[in-house]
Amino acid sequence: MANTKEQIARNMRSNKCKDTKPELMLRKELWQRGLRYRKNYKSLAGKPDIVFLRAQIAVFVDGKMWHGYDWEHQKHDFKSHQDFWIPKIEHNMERDFEVTQNLIDLGWLVLRFWDFEIKKDVAACADKIEQAYNNRRKT
């Protein structure tokens, strides 16, 4: 059954840019481990989803559609409005790269996780963050 334009528009409007399920899962796991953070920190480029200020760690949770996971294969999945979606997603990917480089140049450690990685194994993702946090706090 094909989606109508109205159904597609409603679905696209419902996509959130913060407090997504994977973000909430990861934040809950980090909080339970005693790791305290800032969320959606506006003072840094890219407004990271999770920030550890003293350790200078910025964490991003990237949705696979919006941020171009496996892009060379996925970009062919767009059935309509390819002239809009493909440049939009590619621009997002370029911006992600620029934000990451900007933060690294400022001395920040940038960790990026795909939403499906967090859904699959939130503990493993939190382990990587906790290890980075502990390593950065020692120095």
Side-chain angles (χ1 to χ4, degrees):
M1 180 172 165
N3 288 329
T4 66
K5 286 185 179 182
E6 293 79 22
Q7 288 171 320
I8 292 169
R10 185 173 54 248
N11 289 343
M12 296 312 284
R13 277 194 302 271
S14 71
N15 285 317
K16 301 187 298 183
C17 65
K18 61 182 180 180
D19 294 334
T20 62
K21 185 176 180 179
E23 283 180 48
L24 294 173
M25 290 172 63
L26 184 58
R27 291 196 326 237
K28 181 179 179 183
E29 179 72 21
L30 295 171
W31 195 265
Q32 288 175 340
R33 293 174 183 221
L35 297 172
R36 301 301 181 245
Y37 50 81
R38 302 278 180 124
K39 61 181 191 166
N40 307 116
Y41 195 68
K42 296 176 185 169
S43 298
L44 282 178
K47 198 166 78 170
D49 300 306
I50 299 169
V51 169
F52 298 92
L53 286 173
R54 288 190 184 137
Q56 287 192 310
I57 299 173
V59 180
F60 293 89
V61 177
D62 294 335
K64 72 180 199 174
M65 181 204 147
W66 299 107
H67 296 271
Y69 174 78
D70 192 24
W71 186 239
E72 288 308 310
H73 294 102
Q74 298 298 329
K75 70 180 172 182
H76 303 294
D77 290 347
F78 289 98
K79 302 299 182 213
S80 62
H81 304 293
Q82 289 183 346
D83 55 332
F84 171 78
W85 286 112
I86 291 174
K88 179 175 180 52
I89 304 302
E90 288 175 349
H91 174 73
N92 289 351
M93 294 166 61
E94 290 170 15
R95 187 184 62 232
D96 290 345
F97 179 79
E98 290 168 6
V99 163
T100 298
Q101 287 306 122
N102 182 324
L103 291 172
I104 289 170
D105 291 346
L106 293 172
W108 285 76
L109 173 64
V110 178
L111 300 175
R112 289 189 173 272
F113 296 93
W114 293 109
D115 56 356
F116 65 87
E117 289 178 305
I118 294 168
K119 289 178 185 177
K120 181 179 178 185
D121 193 353
V122 68
C125 298
D127 287 345
K128 291 176 185 175
I129 295 169
E130 186 173 22
Q131 182 179 15
Y133 179 84
N134 290 334
N135 288 341
R136 302 269 298 194
R137 295 288 291 155
K138 288 178 185 175
T139 57

